[in-house]
Amino acid sequence: MALFKRAYLLLLASALALPETSCIFDDLEPCEDANIGFSITNNWGTDTSADPEGMAYLFFYDSGCEPWRFDFPGKEAGRISLPEGSYSFIMFNDDTASIDFVSDENEHIFATTKNVTIGFDPHIGELRASPDMMWADASILVKLDPNCLEYTTSEYAKKIDLIHNADMNMITNPQQIVARYTLLINHIENLSGVACMKGLLSGMASGINLNTNTHSEKAVSIPFDLSVSADSAVCSEFLTFGLPGSPASEPNDILLFFKLSDGNIIKYDFDKTEEIRNASDPLNVKLTIDSIHLPYAPPIEGNSGFAPSVSGWTTVIVNY
């Protein structure tokens, strides 16, 4: 479902020779008069490493009209204008090529990714692409009149307050909403005979509700690549939407597939459910696997050992 299809306002604070504001639309309806100006200030808190190429700011009329969208480059916002009225609000980084945005009957926006294949059938159910890094925030109410700006603080916080701001400044609290998983596999015997390898992590959420920062109930598996980090070790780092809203029924298994130089495919399955669900930081999960015995196969490229350039399994987007 296409979002933001009709009229929205695009604000570009860039060096391009463009007017400061412009109205972009695909029908003949003119832009509504946006006569009340206010500022947006992003409070990134302790997330000083956040580096989005740009952020999108969407305001949804409570009357159900098309949303207003503003885009600023980088991690900071600025001054915008809207018509008087009440809105709900979401923001997210707009440099997300792998993310699909879909909406439901309540006009909530979900971030998800496409189905993928990996060149063979792992017999593990639905596979989804790993998401891009995402930062977001949301507010259930932004009320604007010529004399005052009222808004509720972040929907992602445990405590939500109503702010009255006569200075016409809205403070947001964007935060990381996808989880970074780091995997280290030590002491792999006969690694030099591996032609290519692939990993899968099962039991991950298929998406996230940007209005509420709640994870989808649907569980999928995320493919990830592996690279050699030492003579007998491999590693991987990839992003997921984290655990589903109700994760209890779906285990979190890491499946590893090694294709040897003699053509044999070796599979290993490691149950990481307890380790993942008890992680001290669910947005930065570190996993370790120690000791894998692979059958002997002739080293790749004679006796030179593992060749990172060998063509292996690749993740392919499936378009329906």
Side-chain angles (χ1 to χ4, degrees):
M1 177 178 181
L3 296 180
F4 332 125
K5 184 174 176 59
R6 291 173 58 201
Y8 61 84
L9 188 68
L10 176 66
L11 183 60
L12 292 173
S14 69
L16 298 176
L18 294 174
E20 184 182 4
T21 61
S22 61
C23 189
I24 298 177
F25 50 91
D26 61 4
D27 55 26
L28 298 179
E29 296 182 16
C31 289
E32 188 172 354
D33 185 24
N35 53 6
I36 301 179
F38 65 100
S39 297
I40 301 174
T41 302
N42 296 333
N43 174 21
W44 289 91
T46 59
D47 195 358
T48 56
S49 63
D51 59 348
E53 292 182 10
M55 299 292 294
Y57 305 81
L58 280 76
F59 293 83
F60 295 81
Y61 259 136
D62 59 6
S63 61
C65 297
E66 296 292 337
W68 289 73
R69 172 170 173 162
F70 303 82
D71 288 79
F72 285 89
K75 62 192 294 184
E76 305 304 338
R79 189 166 181 81
I80 64 172
S81 295
L82 284 173
E84 182 175 353
S86 296
Y87 304 83
S88 60
F89 165 78
I90 64 170
M91 61 179 288
F92 52 85
N93 54 305
D94 56 13
D95 53 345
T96 52
S98 72
I99 299 293
D100 282 350
F101 296 98
V102 297
S103 63
D104 64 7
E105 64 278 3
N106 297 317
E107 295 187 351
H108 282 195
I109 296 179
F110 292 80
T112 186
T113 57
K114 286 183 169 59
N115 292 85
V116 295
T117 63
I118 56 174
F120 63 95
D121 186 357
H123 302 289
I124 196 175
E126 187 173 348
L127 304 183
R128 292 287 186 95
S130 173
D132 295 313
M133 174 55 73
M134 287 198 73
W135 298 272
D137 193 19
S139 174
I140 196 172
L141 174 66
V142 178
K143 188 175 181 180
L144 191 63
D145 67 44
N147 300 312
C148 186
L149 168 67
E150 293 183 347
Y151 64 94
T152 54
T153 52
S154 176
E155 283 293 294
Y156 301 177
K158 294 181 179 179
K159 183 177 183 293
I160 299 174
D161 297 315
L162 179 64
I163 305 297
H164 302 265
N165 192 299
D167 294 331
M168 309 299 280
N169 183 41
M170 178 179 176
I171 299 176
T172 70
N173 295 276
Q175 58 185 270
Q176 178 182 329
I177 60 169
V178 296
R180 186 188 306 276
Y181 278 66
T182 304
L183 173 65
L184 177 63
I185 309 171
N186 292 311
H187 306 116
I188 304 177
E189 191 173 348
N190 295 318
L191 181 60
S192 62
V194 173
C196 54
M197 49 192 173
K198 196 74 173 182
L200 297 172
L201 175 58
S202 69
M204 293 288 103
S206 63
I208 191 168
N209 184 327
L210 296 181
N211 294 77
T212 60
N213 196 25
T214 53
H215 296 179
S216 63
E217 299 289 332
K218 183 177 183 178
V220 297
S221 296
I222 306 296
F224 56 87
D225 294 325
L226 295 154
S227 59
V228 176
S229 60
D231 288 343
S232 62
V234 299
C235 63
S236 182
E237 184 176 285
F238 56 98
L239 300 173
T240 81
F241 287 115
L243 293 169
S246 300
S249 61
E250 186 76 21
N252 302 120
D253 292 337
I254 287 182
L255 279 68
L256 301 175
F257 299 87
F258 297 90
K259 185 175 183 179
L260 306 183
S261 62
D262 59 12
N264 288 320
I265 296 176
I266 309 299
K267 171 187 172 183
Y268 292 91
D269 189 338
F270 298 90
D271 186 350
K272 291 292 183 178
T273 304
E274 184 175 353
E275 195 172 342
I276 288 174
R277 297 181 189 182
N278 293 326
S280 58
D281 182 358
L283 292 179
N284 292 282
V285 180
K286 299 182 184 299
L287 303 172
T288 302
I289 295 172
D290 193 58
S291 188
I292 289 179
H293 174 75
L294 291 171
Y296 174 81
I300 302 297
E301 296 184 358
N303 294 319
S304 62
F306 184 86
S309 62
V310 172
S311 177
W313 292 307
T314 58
T315 301
V316 178
I317 299 292
V318 178
N319 292 310
Y320 292 107

